[in-house]
Tab-separated table of all heavy atoms in Angstrom:
chain	number	residue	atom	x	y	z
A	120	ASP	N	-14.423	1.614	8.407
A	120	ASP	CA	-14.005	2.996	8.154
A	120	ASP	C	-13.592	3.715	9.425
A	120	ASP	O	-12.764	4.614	9.405
A	120	ASP	CB	-15.142	3.766	7.472
A	120	ASP	CG	-15.370	3.320	6.049
A	120	ASP	OD1	-14.435	2.714	5.474
A	120	ASP	OD2	-16.460	3.567	5.514
A	121	SER	N	-14.137	3.262	10.526
A	121	SER	CA	-13.878	3.959	11.777
A	121	SER	C	-12.459	3.770	12.292
A	121	SER	O	-12.004	4.519	13.145
A	121	SER	CB	-14.867	3.493	12.848
A	121	SER	OG	-14.745	2.105	13.044
A	122	VAL	N	-11.729	2.763	11.787
A	122	VAL	CA	-10.382	2.515	12.305
A	122	VAL	C	-9.292	2.786	11.292
A	122	VAL	O	-8.110	2.739	11.622
A	122	VAL	CB	-10.232	1.074	12.850
A	122	VAL	CG1	-11.319	0.767	13.864
A	122	VAL	CG2	-10.229	0.061	11.725
A	123	LYS	N	-9.672	3.051	10.073
A	123	LYS	CA	-8.654	3.314	9.060
A	123	LYS	C	-7.808	4.519	9.447
A	123	LYS	O	-8.311	5.526	9.913
A	123	LYS	CB	-9.325	3.547	7.705
A	123	LYS	CG	-9.814	2.274	7.060
A	123	LYS	CD	-10.450	2.532	5.702
A	123	LYS	CE	-10.896	1.225	5.061
A	123	LYS	NZ	-11.582	1.446	3.768
A	124	GLY	N	-6.524	4.357	9.248
A	124	GLY	CA	-5.590	5.410	9.607
A	124	GLY	C	-5.163	5.380	11.057
A	124	GLY	O	-4.229	6.084	11.449
A	125	ARG	N	-5.821	4.558	11.856
A	125	ARG	CA	-5.470	4.477	13.277
A	125	ARG	C	-4.964	3.082	13.664
A	125	ARG	O	-4.141	2.951	14.566
A	125	ARG	CB	-6.683	4.826	14.147
A	125	ARG	CG	-7.237	6.216	13.903
A	125	ARG	CD	-8.319	6.569	14.930
A	125	ARG	NE	-9.495	5.715	14.805
A	125	ARG	CZ	-9.964	4.944	15.777
A	125	ARG	NH1	-9.349	4.908	16.953
A	125	ARG	NH2	-11.066	4.211	15.577
A	126	PHE	N	-5.449	2.046	13.012
A	126	PHE	CA	-5.066	0.672	13.327
A	126	PHE	C	-4.216	0.100	12.196
A	126	PHE	O	-4.478	0.360	11.019
A	126	PHE	CB	-6.302	-0.209	13.488
A	126	PHE	CG	-7.151	0.063	14.695
A	126	PHE	CD1	-6.972	1.189	15.477
A	126	PHE	CD2	-8.148	-0.833	15.047
A	126	PHE	CE1	-7.765	1.438	16.584
A	126	PHE	CE2	-8.947	-0.598	16.158
A	126	PHE	CZ	-8.765	0.536	16.914
A	127	THR	N	-3.241	-0.683	12.577
A	127	THR	CA	-2.457	-1.417	11.591
A	127	THR	C	-2.246	-2.847	12.070
A	127	THR	O	-2.181	-3.107	13.281
A	127	THR	CB	-1.086	-0.767	11.343
A	127	THR	OG1	-0.394	-0.651	12.598
A	127	THR	CG2	-1.218	0.595	10.706
A	128	ILE	N	-2.120	-3.752	11.127
A	128	ILE	CA	-1.888	-5.156	11.436
A	128	ILE	C	-0.524	-5.549	10.909
A	128	ILE	O	-0.098	-5.083	9.844
A	128	ILE	CB	-3.007	-6.047	10.844
A	128	ILE	CG1	-2.846	-7.492	11.295
A	128	ILE	CG2	-3.065	-5.923	9.328
A	128	ILE	CD1	-4.036	-8.391	10.925
A	129	ALA	N	0.144	-6.389	11.659
A	129	ALA	CA	1.465	-6.852	11.248
A	129	ALA	C	1.657	-8.276	11.749
A	129	ALA	O	0.946	-8.732	12.645
A	129	ALA	CB	2.544	-5.936	11.810
A	130	ARG	N	2.635	-8.942	11.145
A	130	ARG	CA	2.888	-10.336	11.514
A	130	ARG	C	4.382	-10.563	11.660
A	130	ARG	O	5.176	-10.073	10.877
A	130	ARG	CB	2.306	-11.269	10.449
A	130	ARG	CG	2.497	-12.745	10.724
A	130	ARG	CD	1.813	-13.565	9.653
A	130	ARG	NE	2.376	-13.273	8.353
A	130	ARG	CZ	1.758	-13.540	7.204
A	130	ARG	NH1	0.566	-14.069	7.217
A	130	ARG	NH2	2.341	-13.267	6.054
A	131	ASP	N	4.730	-11.324	12.672
A	131	ASP	CA	6.111	-11.767	12.875
A	131	ASP	C	6.116	-13.274	12.674
A	131	ASP	O	5.694	-14.031	13.555
A	131	ASP	CB	6.583	-11.387	14.279
A	131	ASP	CG	8.066	-11.684	14.489
A	131	ASP	OD1	8.570	-12.652	13.886
A	131	ASP	OD2	8.691	-10.963	15.271
A	132	LYS	N	6.586	-13.705	11.509
A	132	LYS	CA	6.559	-15.130	11.203
A	132	LYS	C	7.443	-15.925	12.156
A	132	LYS	O	7.092	-17.039	12.549
A	132	LYS	CB	6.995	-15.359	9.756
A	132	LYS	CG	5.983	-14.900	8.717
A	132	LYS	CD	6.440	-15.279	7.329
A	132	LYS	CE	5.423	-14.889	6.267
A	132	LYS	NZ	5.842	-15.284	4.903
A	133	ALA	N	8.570	-15.369	12.509
A	133	ALA	CA	9.495	-16.086	13.384
A	133	ALA	C	8.869	-16.368	14.743
A	133	ALA	O	9.140	-17.400	15.362
A	133	ALA	CB	10.776	-15.284	13.553
A	134	LYS	N	8.026	-15.456	15.200
A	134	LYS	CA	7.377	-15.621	16.502
A	134	LYS	C	5.986	-16.228	16.372
A	134	LYS	O	5.321	-16.440	17.389
A	134	LYS	CB	7.288	-14.273	17.214
A	134	LYS	CG	8.643	-13.677	17.583
A	134	LYS	CD	8.483	-12.379	18.354
A	134	LYS	CE	9.830	-11.824	18.773
A	134	LYS	NZ	9.704	-10.551	19.528
A	135	ASN	N	5.549	-16.459	15.138
A	135	ASN	CA	4.206	-17.004	14.912
A	135	ASN	C	3.150	-16.146	15.609
A	135	ASN	O	2.236	-16.666	16.268
A	135	ASN	CB	4.124	-18.453	15.390
A	135	ASN	CG	3.336	-19.330	14.445
A	135	ASN	OD1	3.208	-19.043	13.258
A	135	ASN	ND2	2.795	-20.419	14.970
A	136	THR	N	3.303	-14.866	15.449
A	136	THR	CA	2.460	-13.914	16.172
A	136	THR	C	1.968	-12.829	15.218
A	136	THR	O	2.707	-12.384	14.335
A	136	THR	CB	3.244	-13.272	17.330
A	136	THR	OG1	3.657	-14.304	18.242
A	136	THR	CG2	2.391	-12.268	18.086
A	137	VAL	N	0.730	-12.430	15.430
A	137	VAL	CA	0.135	-11.337	14.681
A	137	VAL	C	-0.194	-10.214	15.659
A	137	VAL	O	-0.615	-10.474	16.791
A	137	VAL	CB	-1.136	-11.798	13.948
A	137	VAL	CG1	-1.825	-10.638	13.255
A	137	VAL	CG2	-0.789	-12.866	12.930
A	138	TYR	N	-0.025	-8.993	15.205
A	138	TYR	CA	-0.236	-7.840	16.073
A	138	TYR	C	-1.304	-6.910	15.489
A	138	TYR	O	-1.474	-6.828	14.274
A	138	TYR	CB	1.060	-7.049	16.228
A	138	TYR	CG	2.220	-7.864	16.749
A	138	TYR	CD1	3.131	-8.447	15.874
A	138	TYR	CD2	2.389	-8.059	18.115
A	138	TYR	CE1	4.197	-9.189	16.345
A	138	TYR	CE2	3.454	-8.806	18.600
A	138	TYR	CZ	4.355	-9.373	17.716
A	138	TYR	OH	5.402	-10.121	18.192
A	139	LEU	N	-1.963	-6.213	16.359
A	139	LEU	CA	-2.861	-5.141	15.959
A	139	LEU	C	-2.455	-3.905	16.751
A	139	LEU	O	-2.639	-3.851	17.970
A	139	LEU	CB	-4.323	-5.486	16.243
A	139	LEU	CG	-5.337	-4.432	15.784
A	139	LEU	CD1	-5.366	-4.351	14.251
A	139	LEU	CD2	-6.738	-4.741	16.318
A	140	GLN	N	-1.854	-2.963	16.044
A	140	GLN	CA	-1.468	-1.710	16.674
A	140	GLN	C	-2.635	-0.745	16.578
A	140	GLN	O	-3.121	-0.462	15.480
A	140	GLN	CB	-0.240	-1.118	15.983
A	140	GLN	CG	0.222	0.206	16.550
A	140	GLN	CD	0.751	0.093	17.971
A	140	GLN	OE1	1.506	-0.823	18.285
A	140	GLN	NE2	0.352	1.028	18.834
A	141	MET	N	-3.056	-0.237	17.721
A	141	MET	CA	-4.217	0.646	17.771
A	141	MET	C	-3.792	1.983	18.357
A	141	MET	O	-3.353	2.047	19.512
A	141	MET	CB	-5.325	0.019	18.620
A	141	MET	CG	-5.710	-1.381	18.169
A	141	MET	SD	-7.139	-2.052	19.057
A	141	MET	CE	-6.474	-2.179	20.710
A	142	ASN	N	-3.898	3.010	17.560
A	142	ASN	CA	-3.521	4.362	17.984
A	142	ASN	C	-4.741	5.270	17.999
A	142	ASN	O	-5.766	4.957	17.393
A	142	ASN	CB	-2.461	4.933	17.048
A	142	ASN	CG	-1.183	4.128	17.035
A	142	ASN	OD1	-0.769	3.564	18.043
A	142	ASN	ND2	-0.547	4.056	15.873
A	143	SER	N	-4.601	6.385	18.683
A	143	SER	CA	-5.680	7.380	18.759
A	143	SER	C	-7.004	6.730	19.114
A	143	SER	O	-8.029	6.946	18.452
A	143	SER	CB	-5.789	8.135	17.427
A	143	SER	OG	-4.574	8.769	17.100
A	144	LEU	N	-6.974	5.924	20.128
A	144	LEU	CA	-8.163	5.160	20.506
A	144	LEU	C	-9.306	6.068	20.935
A	144	LEU	O	-9.094	7.133	21.533
A	144	LEU	CB	-7.817	4.180	21.609
A	144	LEU	CG	-7.067	2.936	21.123
A	144	LEU	CD1	-6.366	2.230	22.272
A	144	LEU	CD2	-8.016	1.984	20.405
A	145	LYS	N	-10.497	5.601	20.614
A	145	LYS	CA	-11.724	6.331	20.933
A	145	LYS	C	-12.629	5.441	21.788
A	145	LYS	O	-12.523	4.212	21.735
A	145	LYS	CB	-12.458	6.709	19.652
A	145	LYS	CG	-11.633	7.513	18.662
A	145	LYS	CD	-12.417	7.741	17.383
A	145	LYS	CE	-11.599	8.524	16.364
A	145	LYS	NZ	-12.359	8.729	15.102
A	146	PRO	N	-13.523	6.037	22.553
A	146	PRO	CA	-14.436	5.221	23.363
A	146	PRO	C	-15.223	4.214	22.536
A	146	PRO	O	-15.507	3.106	23.017
A	146	PRO	CB	-15.362	6.272	23.994
A	146	PRO	CG	-14.511	7.486	24.097
A	146	PRO	CD	-13.647	7.467	22.858
A	147	GLU	N	-15.521	4.542	21.300
A	147	GLU	CA	-16.271	3.607	20.458
A	147	GLU	C	-15.442	2.419	19.996
A	147	GLU	O	-15.967	1.498	19.365
A	147	GLU	CB	-16.867	4.335	19.240
A	147	GLU	CG	-15.885	5.189	18.467
A	147	GLU	CD	-15.922	6.648	18.878
A	147	GLU	OE1	-15.994	6.932	20.099
A	147	GLU	OE2	-15.871	7.509	17.969
A	148	ASP	N	-14.153	2.410	20.286
A	148	ASP	CA	-13.318	1.244	20.001
A	148	ASP	C	-13.442	0.185	21.093
A	148	ASP	O	-12.881	-0.905	20.984
A	148	ASP	CB	-11.846	1.650	19.876
A	148	ASP	CG	-11.584	2.547	18.682
A	148	ASP	OD1	-12.166	2.296	17.613
A	148	ASP	OD2	-10.791	3.498	18.820
A	149	THR	N	-14.151	0.500	22.128
A	149	THR	CA	-14.334	-0.447	23.230
A	149	THR	C	-15.029	-1.712	22.762
A	149	THR	O	-15.988	-1.662	22.000
A	149	THR	CB	-15.154	0.212	24.357
A	149	THR	OG1	-14.388	1.289	24.920
A	149	THR	CG2	-15.500	-0.788	25.445
A	150	GLY	N	-14.507	-2.836	23.227
A	150	GLY	CA	-15.115	-4.111	22.876
A	150	GLY	C	-14.156	-5.251	23.147
A	150	GLY	O	-13.043	-5.041	23.637
A	151	VAL	N	-14.611	-6.428	22.804
A	151	VAL	CA	-13.747	-7.610	22.886
A	151	VAL	C	-13.138	-7.831	21.512
A	151	VAL	O	-13.850	-7.877	20.510
A	151	VAL	CB	-14.529	-8.858	23.332
A	151	VAL	CG1	-13.596	-10.067	23.389
A	151	VAL	CG2	-15.170	-8.618	24.688
A	152	TYR	N	-11.846	-7.959	21.493
A	152	TYR	CA	-11.118	-8.142	20.245
A	152	TYR	C	-10.685	-9.594	20.124
A	152	TYR	O	-10.095	-10.158	21.049
A	152	TYR	CB	-9.910	-7.218	20.203
A	152	TYR	CG	-10.284	-5.778	19.905
A	152	TYR	CD1	-10.980	-5.016	20.841
A	152	TYR	CD2	-9.982	-5.201	18.678
A	152	TYR	CE1	-11.358	-3.705	20.564
A	152	TYR	CE2	-10.340	-3.887	18.386
A	152	TYR	CZ	-11.028	-3.153	19.333
A	152	TYR	OH	-11.393	-1.860	19.045
A	153	TYR	N	-10.983	-10.160	18.966
A	153	TYR	CA	-10.689	-11.561	18.710
A	153	TYR	C	-9.696	-11.702	17.557
A	153	TYR	O	-9.807	-11.015	16.542
A	153	TYR	CB	-11.962	-12.318	18.328
A	153	TYR	CG	-13.014	-12.354	19.396
A	153	TYR	CD1	-14.011	-11.389	19.447
A	153	TYR	CD2	-13.025	-13.372	20.357
A	153	TYR	CE1	-14.997	-11.432	20.425
A	153	TYR	CE2	-14.006	-13.418	21.332
A	153	TYR	CZ	-14.979	-12.441	21.360
A	153	TYR	OH	-15.949	-12.477	22.335
A	154	CYS	N	-8.805	-12.623	17.746
A	154	CYS	CA	-7.881	-13.003	16.690
A	154	CYS	C	-8.400	-14.281	16.044
A	154	CYS	O	-8.992	-15.132	16.728
A	154	CYS	CB	-6.501	-13.240	17.300
A	154	CYS	SG	-5.284	-13.952	16.209
A	155	ALA	N	-8.182	-14.412	14.746
A	155	ALA	CA	-8.649	-15.599	14.042
A	155	ALA	C	-7.650	-15.992	12.968
A	155	ALA	O	-6.905	-15.143	12.459
A	155	ALA	CB	-10.018	-15.338	13.422
A	156	ALA	N	-7.666	-17.257	12.615
A	156	ALA	CA	-6.772	-17.779	11.582
A	156	ALA	C	-7.577	-18.556	10.549
A	156	ALA	O	-8.477	-19.321	10.900
A	156	ALA	CB	-5.710	-18.689	12.191
A	157	ALA	N	-7.224	-18.346	9.294
A	157	ALA	CA	-7.916	-19.013	8.190
A	157	ALA	C	-6.918	-19.839	7.399
A	157	ALA	O	-5.956	-19.286	6.844
A	157	ALA	CB	-8.588	-17.983	7.289
A	158	PHE	N	-7.161	-21.149	7.349
A	158	PHE	CA	-6.289	-22.050	6.592
A	158	PHE	C	-6.960	-22.539	5.312
A	158	PHE	O	-6.281	-22.852	4.343
A	158	PHE	CB	-5.902	-23.254	7.453
A	158	PHE	CG	-4.946	-22.919	8.554
A	158	PHE	CD1	-5.400	-22.515	9.793
A	158	PHE	CD2	-3.580	-23.003	8.354
A	158	PHE	CE1	-4.519	-22.188	10.816
A	158	PHE	CE2	-2.682	-22.685	9.369
A	158	PHE	CZ	-3.155	-22.280	10.602
A	159	ARG	N	-8.267	-22.611	5.305
A	159	ARG	CA	-8.952	-23.179	4.144
A	159	ARG	C	-8.984	-22.212	2.973
A	159	ARG	O	-8.909	-22.605	1.814
A	159	ARG	CB	-10.390	-23.562	4.513
A	159	ARG	CG	-10.515	-24.684	5.517
A	159	ARG	CD	-11.965	-24.875	5.899
A	159	ARG	NE	-12.462	-23.761	6.702
A	159	ARG	CZ	-13.452	-22.957	6.319
A	159	ARG	NH1	-14.034	-23.144	5.145
A	159	ARG	NH2	-13.866	-21.992	7.116
A	160	VAL	N	-9.142	-20.940	3.272
A	160	VAL	CA	-9.280	-19.929	2.228
A	160	VAL	C	-7.898	-19.399	1.869
A	160	VAL	O	-7.199	-18.858	2.726
A	160	VAL	CB	-10.176	-18.770	2.697
A	160	VAL	CG1	-10.214	-17.675	1.643
A	160	VAL	CG2	-11.573	-19.286	3.005
A	161	VAL	N	-7.520	-19.571	0.620
A	161	VAL	CA	-6.207	-19.105	0.176
A	161	VAL	C	-6.420	-18.103	-0.948
A	161	VAL	O	-6.720	-18.476	-2.084
A	161	VAL	CB	-5.328	-20.275	-0.309
A	161	VAL	CG1	-3.968	-19.751	-0.768
A	161	VAL	CG2	-5.174	-21.302	0.796
A	162	ARG	N	-6.284	-16.848	-0.619
A	162	ARG	CA	-6.421	-15.762	-1.587
A	162	ARG	C	-5.327	-14.751	-1.345
A	162	ARG	O	-4.639	-14.790	-0.322
A	162	ARG	CB	-7.789	-15.075	-1.440
A	162	ARG	CG	-8.986	-15.896	-1.844
A	162	ARG	CD	-10.214	-15.014	-2.008
A	162	ARG	NE	-10.618	-14.437	-0.741
A	162	ARG	CZ	-11.568	-14.953	0.018
A	162	ARG	NH1	-12.181	-16.058	-0.347
A	162	ARG	NH2	-11.899	-14.370	1.150
A	163	ILE	N	-5.203	-13.860	-2.289
A	163	ILE	CA	-4.188	-12.807	-2.142
A	163	ILE	C	-4.517	-11.922	-0.945
A	163	ILE	O	-3.638	-11.497	-0.196
A	163	ILE	CB	-4.086	-11.977	-3.430
A	163	ILE	CG1	-3.558	-12.847	-4.569
A	163	ILE	CG2	-3.174	-10.762	-3.209
A	163	ILE	CD1	-3.519	-12.151	-5.903
A	164	THR	N	-5.801	-11.639	-0.775
A	164	THR	CA	-6.213	-10.804	0.336
A	164	THR	C	-6.843	-11.654	1.437
A	164	THR	O	-7.405	-12.715	1.160
A	164	THR	CB	-7.221	-9.738	-0.121
A	164	THR	OG1	-8.321	-10.406	-0.756
A	164	THR	CG2	-6.575	-8.776	-1.104
A	165	PRO	N	-6.765	-11.220	2.668
A	165	PRO	CA	-7.328	-12.022	3.758
A	165	PRO	C	-8.852	-11.970	3.760
A	165	PRO	O	-9.452	-11.014	3.256
A	165	PRO	CB	-6.770	-11.336	5.010
A	165	PRO	CG	-6.544	-9.926	4.598
A	165	PRO	CD	-6.122	-9.989	3.167
A	166	PRO	N	-9.491	-12.977	4.319
A	166	PRO	CA	-10.954	-12.966	4.407
A	166	PRO	C	-11.437	-11.821	5.297
A	166	PRO	O	-10.764	-11.411	6.244
A	166	PRO	CB	-11.280	-14.321	5.051
A	166	PRO	CG	-10.072	-15.152	4.830
A	166	PRO	CD	-8.927	-14.221	4.836
A	167	ARG	N	-12.633	-11.348	4.978
A	167	ARG	CA	-13.242	-10.283	5.768
A	167	ARG	C	-14.432	-10.768	6.577
A	167	ARG	O	-14.967	-10.033	7.404
A	167	ARG	CB	-13.718	-9.145	4.863
A	167	ARG	CG	-12.629	-8.451	4.072
A	167	ARG	CD	-13.240	-7.526	3.037
A	167	ARG	NE	-12.219	-6.856	2.237
A	167	ARG	CZ	-11.911	-5.569	2.362
A	167	ARG	NH1	-12.522	-4.830	3.239
A	167	ARG	NH2	-10.985	-5.035	1.592
């Protein structure tokens, strides 16, 4: 809930790259951010 409305995720298939756009950053957003890929789980929505 803390990032809704401020962060968005997007993907460029041609570049095989995923992005996380982070706006209106707050000190509580500080941390290590990890990217991950899921191949085994195939659903309409991504795993959480």
Side-chain angles (χ1 to χ4, degrees):
D120 289 340
S121 59
V122 307
K123 284 181 178 177
R125 301 188 295 121
F126 291 11
T127 56
I128 186 171
R130 180 177 61 199
D131 186 328
K132 289 185 178 181
K134 295 183 177 180
N135 221 24
T136 299
V137 175
Y138 304 95
L139 183 67
Q140 179 66 44
M141 306 186 295
N142 299 326
S143 302
L144 283 162
K145 304 176 181 179
E147 50 264 43
D148 294 320
T149 294
V151 179
Y152 284 69
Y153 297 92
C154 171
F158 289 89
R159 294 174 290 118
V160 175
V161 180
R162 291 195 294 263
I163 294 176
T164 56
R167 298 170 181 253

